[in-house]
Amino acid sequence: MRRTDLRGGVKSLGQNPLWCSKLLHAVVDNRLQGCQPDRMNHPNPPAKTPDQIWEGDLFGRRGDAELLIDYIESVGSRPSLREDCRGYTISVDADYGIGKSYFLRRLAEHLELTHPVAFVDAWSDDLANEPLTAITATLKKAIAPLVRKEPKLEQQWKAVASKTGEVAKIVAKGLLKKGLGLVITSAAVDLADAALGDLPEAKDAALDDALKDAGKGAADDAVDAVSKRKAGELMAERIATFEAGQLAITELKKSLSDLVEALPVGDIATPVVVIIDELDRCRPTYAIKLLEETKHLFDVTGIVFVLGMHSEQLSRSVSGAYGPDFDGQGYLRRFVNRQYSLRFPDLEPLVRHLLNQHAISESRLIFPAVAKTDRTLEILPASEMIARYMRAYGMTARDAFSIMDIIQTCVAVTKDSELLMPYLLPMIIRKVKGMKFGQTPKIETAPSWNYAFEDWNNQTLSTVSMESAFLDLSGKVGLSQRDLVNSANANDKISLVLLKIQQNIDINSNALALPRNYEDLLQRVARFSNGSE
């Protein structure tokens, strides 16, 4: 069942954990992208202006896109300086959860205004395990509107599709042989390679049985079965297969070059751009397979590949799959001509947007003042303070959705009471990180700011760090009202903040709003779920 076909599929999805995982992550990704419809899947999407494409761009990514487009157009039109590298590959590198997919999809839409663009979701296509088919299918979608405008282009496309099919057969057989090499001895593989050429289909039932028995002595049987064949006959078949493969790849590249040379059509011109997202979420073996096929089969002048990935994570995955001594970073560099790094975004616009979407009044979220450089006080908006906490605790843009869901639920169940955020927010972040109640989340980036309090006579300013405020509150929320008053009278500012929060709370009807009950509040809130956790 396709990922987008959900009708009547709940039961079957529930029986497939991999599908469930991908579906739930897709829900989160769509939210990060503003829940806007995916025009890439629309047969005749209406034309958009760049302003419309980047509407709602909370992270200011349009500037990155326009810079990349200028670069793609420059490298896509210049002649290659190397015989072994005619196409061009650019990686867009970014950590998880900072809007890489949002950026790439809108980059694709922006490029579509003047270029054929194929968008490949590698993580989704990983299930089919056929990257060549996935790339060809998306290329077909990109070329289809041009064929309608210029029917002569159809012949070039049919040639590409035909040659791709021929290469796919050869690739499939080659991969099958590599698979055999994992389960039988090298001596058997040398002879079995030729014997496999006699099979009409790689999925032949007899072969399936042979694979199952390979670890039970079947290797010796395989050697005996083919050892009677003449060495010259085996070598002749190997040479013929090799030559057929080389010819098929050459013809595929020629057909792709003819297709590219048939452009422009109207306002759509070269280069042809293939954007591949979610490489770092794929199985390492599939990611490598996709990169290899892209490099060897689509290396044509006028085609530019844009790879979306978290390169550090992908290189670790590749090294993990092939052994600790495998140079994952060096391997990935073989496929990439240039790397473009997306900067970590300012989270405040996203937090402010989500506060508005959830209809959360910032007056309910209480933060003390912060110290300015001139030693004066400043009350910052709740959106800015939440963003500061997220940066300090190493939270991503994707985490903002979970954090805001929890804050919204806390606001809803505590009636009109104010919430003491220097105490509650680290506890919420702890939950989003998957930590246990009672654990203290670790600050990953030390903040450069402090909370500030004036003394009674307003002559001096005392400051408290974000971390110290949380630890101090943790030790004081359980104090009695009398002890809090005594502590506040002794000029303890944290105790005074607690008193001000609690004085307007009706303990009998709204006990969950008391800071000492925030643990219980979050445990009750945890009973709610947004479906993606």
Side-chain angles (χ1 to χ4, degrees):
M1 189 177 82
R2 295 191 305 274
R3 190 163 104 182
T4 53
D5 184 11
L6 302 181
R7 292 174 296 178
V10 174
K11 190 172 294 185
S12 62
L13 283 173
Q15 295 169 354
N16 189 326
L18 180 59
W19 264 116
C20 285
S21 173
K22 291 192 173 185
L23 179 62
L24 295 179
H25 278 87
V27 171
V28 175
D29 288 341
N30 286 335
R31 296 181 69 195
L32 190 56
Q33 294 163 17
C35 299
Q36 298 183 24
D38 180 10
R39 75 188 293 266
M40 304 295 292
N41 293 324
H42 194 289
N44 293 295
K48 288 186 177 181
T49 65
D51 288 342
Q52 291 172 323
I53 290 170
W54 293 100
E55 184 178 2
D57 175 25
L58 298 174
F59 296 157
R61 298 291 196 202
R62 178 175 175 176
D64 295 274
E66 291 174 340
L67 185 66
L68 261 177
I69 290 171
D70 288 343
Y71 184 74
I72 288 169
E73 290 177 341
S74 70
V75 299
S77 59
R78 71 190 186 195
S80 174
L81 301 178
R82 293 174 50 183
E83 286 293 324
D84 62 340
C85 186
R86 296 184 179 277
Y88 208 83
T89 302
I90 304 166
S91 70
V92 175
D93 194 11
D95 289 346
Y96 290 128
I98 67 170
K100 180 169 71 268
S101 292
Y102 174 96
F103 171 74
L104 289 175
R105 287 188 178 273
R106 276 145 192 80
L107 172 66
E109 288 192 56
H110 201 148
L111 279 163
E112 274 188 316
L113 299 177
T114 49
H115 303 282
V117 179
F119 190 95
V120 179
D121 184 339
W123 192 45
S124 175
D125 297 330
D126 185 359
L127 290 175
N129 201 35
E130 295 181 1
L132 180 56
T133 302
I135 294 174
T136 306
T138 53
L139 270 175
K140 178 182 179 182
K141 186 185 298 184
I143 297 299
L146 304 183
V147 172
R148 288 193 289 271
K149 293 180 180 179
E150 180 54 71
K152 293 180 181 179
L153 199 63
E154 186 173 6
Q155 293 304 315
Q156 280 89 354
W157 171 251
K158 285 183 177 179
V160 170
S162 174
K163 300 306 177 184
T164 304
E166 292 178 17
V167 171
K169 292 179 183 178
I170 295 170
V171 170
K173 187 167 69 171
L175 291 174
L176 177 63
K177 294 175 183 178
K178 292 178 184 178
L180 281 174
L182 298 176
V183 294
I184 64 179
T185 65
S186 58
V189 171
D190 288 340
L191 294 174
D193 271 355
L196 286 172
D198 296 333
L199 293 173
E201 294 289 340
K203 60 183 180 181
D204 187 274
L207 178 59
D208 290 339
D209 292 338
L211 285 171
K212 293 176 183 177
D213 296 332
K216 305 175 184 178
D220 293 336
D221 294 337
V223 174
D224 293 338
V226 298
S227 61
K228 297 178 182 179
R229 303 185 68 180
K230 294 179 180 179
E233 182 182 353
L234 296 178
M235 182 53 67
E237 290 182 2
R238 282 175 173 242
I239 293 173
T241 300
F242 177 81
E243 290 177 341
Q246 291 295 97
L247 179 61
I249 292 173
T250 300
E251 290 180 345
L252 171 59
K253 291 182 178 180
K254 176 63 168 60
S255 64
L256 283 168
S257 294
D258 291 343
L259 180 67
V260 171
E261 290 175 4
L263 298 174
V265 174
D267 296 330
I268 307 301
T270 57
V272 177
V273 184
V274 180
I275 299 178
I276 303 177
D277 190 20
E278 306 284 25
L279 262 175
D280 42 14
R281 283 188 175 181
C282 300
R283 290 173 295 117
T285 51
Y286 180 80
I288 288 175
K289 183 179 176 182
L290 189 152
L291 290 172
E292 291 279 5
E293 293 186 10
T294 297
K295 176 72 173 178
H296 296 304
L297 304 179
F298 293 88
D299 185 28
V300 172
T301 301
I303 297 182
V304 175
F305 280 84
V306 178
L307 309 177
M309 66 173 77
H310 182 191
S311 60
E312 182 180 347
Q313 177 60 42
L314 181 57
S315 66
R316 284 200 299 264
S317 298
V318 170
S319 296
Y322 292 93
D325 296 330
F326 187 85
D327 183 6
Q329 284 281 15
Y331 176 81
L332 293 179
R333 282 195 294 269
R334 293 172 49 199
F335 302 97
V336 177
N337 300 99
R338 279 288 186 273
Q339 175 178 300
Y340 185 83
S341 298
L342 279 183
R343 70 190 186 284
F344 193 88
D346 179 7
L347 297 173
E348 195 274 335
L350 174 61
V351 173
R352 180 168 15 97
H353 171 75
L354 292 176
L355 284 170
N356 292 332
Q357 289 289 309
H358 285 82
I360 299 173
S361 171
E362 294 199 25
S363 63
R364 296 278 305 278
L365 311 179
I366 303 303
F367 291 93
V370 300
K372 295 181 68 174
T373 54
D374 59 359
R375 301 293 294 171
T376 59
L377 299 175
E378 181 180 20
I379 300 293
L380 295 176
S383 57
E384 172 61 26
M385 293 303 296
I386 293 171
R388 289 188 176 197
Y389 269 77
M390 290 181 63
R391 285 192 290 270
Y393 285 109
M395 309 303 283
T396 68
R398 182 173 289 124
D399 295 324
F401 293 97
S402 297
I403 290 171
M404 298 312 300
D405 279 339
I406 296 173
I407 290 176
Q408 190 277 331
T409 309
C410 288
V411 167
V413 301
T414 53
K415 302 179 181 179
D416 296 325
S417 299
E418 297 173 333
L419 295 172
L420 185 57
M421 297 306 288
Y423 185 49
L424 179 61
L425 187 53
M427 297 167 69
I428 291 174
I429 290 173
R430 177 182 65 197
K431 171 175 166 44
V432 174
K433 282 179 171 284
M435 301 171 64
K436 296 179 181 178
F437 282 105
Q439 291 181 309
T440 301
K442 179 182 177 182
I443 291 179
E444 298 185 12
T445 303
S448 59
W449 57 274
N450 292 301
Y451 287 117
F453 304 93
E454 289 181 327
D455 288 334
W456 295 116
N457 56 12
N458 296 330
Q459 297 298 313
T460 60
L461 203 67
S462 59
T463 60
V464 178
S465 71
M466 183 185 82
E467 185 175 25
S468 296
F470 174 71
L471 295 175
D472 203 0
L473 284 166
S474 299
K476 288 186 169 66
V477 292
L479 294 179
S480 66
Q481 191 79 354
R482 176 178 295 181
D483 289 339
L484 274 179
V485 170
N486 291 335
S487 183
N489 288 334
N491 207 23
D492 181 82
K493 301 302 187 298
I494 294 296
S495 298
L496 183 61
V497 170
L498 271 172
L499 281 174
K500 288 182 177 180
I501 286 290
Q502 294 180 172
Q503 66 184 2
N504 295 323
I505 296 175
D506 186 340
I507 296 176
N508 295 321
S509 63
N510 197 17
L512 286 177
L514 291 171
R516 67 169 176 262
N517 293 329
Y518 281 176
E519 292 277 12
D520 187 31
L521 170 64
L522 289 179
Q523 287 182 15
R524 298 195 186 193
V525 167
R527 298 174 188 172
F528 296 89
S529 172
N530 62 18
S532 61
E533 298 177 353

